[in-house]
Amino acid sequence: TQLLEQSPQFLSIQEGENLTVYCNSSSVFSSLQWYRQEPGEGPVLLVTVVTGGEVKKLKRLTFQFGDARKDSSLHITAAQPGDTGLYLCAGVHAGGTSYGKLTFGQGTILTVHP
Amino acid sequence: DTGVSQNPRHKITKRGQNVTFRCDPISEHNRLYWYRQTLGQGPEFLTYFQNEAQLEKSRLLSDRFSAERPKGSFSTLEIQRTEQGDSAMYLCASSFALAGLANTGELFFGEGSRLTVL
């Protein structure tokens, strides 16, 4: 079973602070995605990383895929209250009968206080 | 196209009753996924379809759960003899992927159907 471990599970910070969320697995995924979810809504894709060592930036968000494609991180610079939400990493299964299936981590609940 | 649509958005039922959720995916999408999510946790995979074929079912999907996608368009998820442990948000997502290839693209999620079993 391919599992994704996210840490921390909860993060409560002040506006302007930086933070990093980690996503780790003992298995290799063909790609990894990060989603953000607000209460009462479905997850919305932020980014997909495919190549080991890849770094992608989305405004104040920086995403990194580990060289071995087993781990990833999300770094937010100068967090704002609007960043508050549930952040989810999800690995895409590469082959067999599970190809194309997404396995999600347990999520990180981020609260940014003004 | 208005995106993935799920209904009902909320369902409150008594233990032992049957419930059915419907998902209308984005029209050109050939893959449809069902996930279950409890509060503050990540979604757990239940099952997915490529067109009308159900390709995989999770062990979480007991024999009380059944999902169909009869014409490769909308899908239904039925839970029979509901239990309190079934209370959760049931999320549907769709995507387009070429058969035989891994899906590296985005999953588009609906807003979910929240089930409360009393």
Side-chain angles (χ1 to χ4, degrees):
Chain A
T1 302
Q2 294 176 290
L3 298 176
L4 283 168
E5 297 287 335
Q6 264 187 259
S7 62
Q9 190 173 355
F10 301 96
L11 202 50
S12 180
I13 61 173
Q14 294 297 125
E15 183 176 2
E17 293 184 4
N18 302 333
L19 65 110
T20 302
V21 178
Y22 299 93
C23 180
N24 295 292
S25 174
S26 59
S27 303
V28 175
F29 290 95
S30 64
S31 65
L32 199 139
Q33 300 178 348
W34 285 90
Y35 288 79
R36 179 168 172 267
Q37 185 178 19
E38 298 196 29
E41 299 183 7
V44 176
L45 181 70
L46 295 174
V47 78
T48 301
V49 285
V50 179
T51 306
E54 183 176 5
V55 177
K56 282 192 174 179
K57 291 192 175 184
L58 186 66
K59 296 184 180 178
R60 295 176 293 101
L61 278 61
T62 302
F63 304 86
Q64 188 162 6
F65 202 12
D67 292 340
R69 293 188 294 142
K70 293 182 178 181
D71 56 270
S72 181
S73 64
L74 158 60
H75 182 78
I76 301 179
T77 304
Q80 299 176 359
D83 296 328
T84 293
L86 175 66
Y87 288 81
L88 297 158
C89 66
V92 179
H93 291 243
T97 58
S98 296
Y99 71 81
K101 185 179 80 175
L102 277 185
T103 294
F104 282 86
Q106 67 267 50
T108 296
I109 299 175
L110 170 65
T111 305
V112 182
H113 302 280
Chain B
D1 190 17
T2 57
V4 178
S5 176
Q6 291 187 247
N7 65 82
R9 291 290 312 280
H10 303 275
K11 178 71 176 179
I12 301 173
T13 191
K14 292 183 179 180
R15 188 178 53 186
Q17 298 295 305
N18 300 341
V19 296
T20 299
F21 300 115
R22 175 177 169 129
C23 173
D24 288 273
I26 293 172
S27 57
E28 62 267 27
H29 285 179
N30 57 353
R31 286 193 179 172
L32 186 148
Y33 302 77
W34 284 100
Y35 285 83
R36 181 174 69 187
Q37 186 178 29
T38 53
L39 196 62
Q41 297 294 311
E44 296 174 296
F45 171 80
L46 293 179
T47 188
Y48 88 103
F49 295 82
Q50 172 106 1
N51 300 311
E52 66 275 8
Q54 189 172 18
L55 296 187
E56 186 174 343
K57 293 170 59 174
S58 165
R59 284 171 291 178
L60 294 174
L61 217 64
S62 74
D63 56 4
R64 296 185 296 107
F65 288 71
S66 62
E68 294 182 345
R69 195 183 184 200
K71 296 181 180 179
S73 57
F74 73 92
S75 176
T76 58
L77 176 68
E78 181 182 16
I79 309 174
Q80 295 182 325
R81 305 181 303 282
T82 53
E83 301 173 357
Q84 288 182 327
D86 297 332
S87 296
M89 175 77 83
Y90 289 85
L91 290 166
C92 175
S94 70
S95 69
F96 178 79
L98 294 176
L101 297 179
N103 180 18
T104 59
E106 178 177 1
L107 258 60
F108 293 81
F109 282 86
E111 293 181 315
S113 293
R114 180 167 294 285
L115 173 64
T116 301
V117 182
L118 302 176

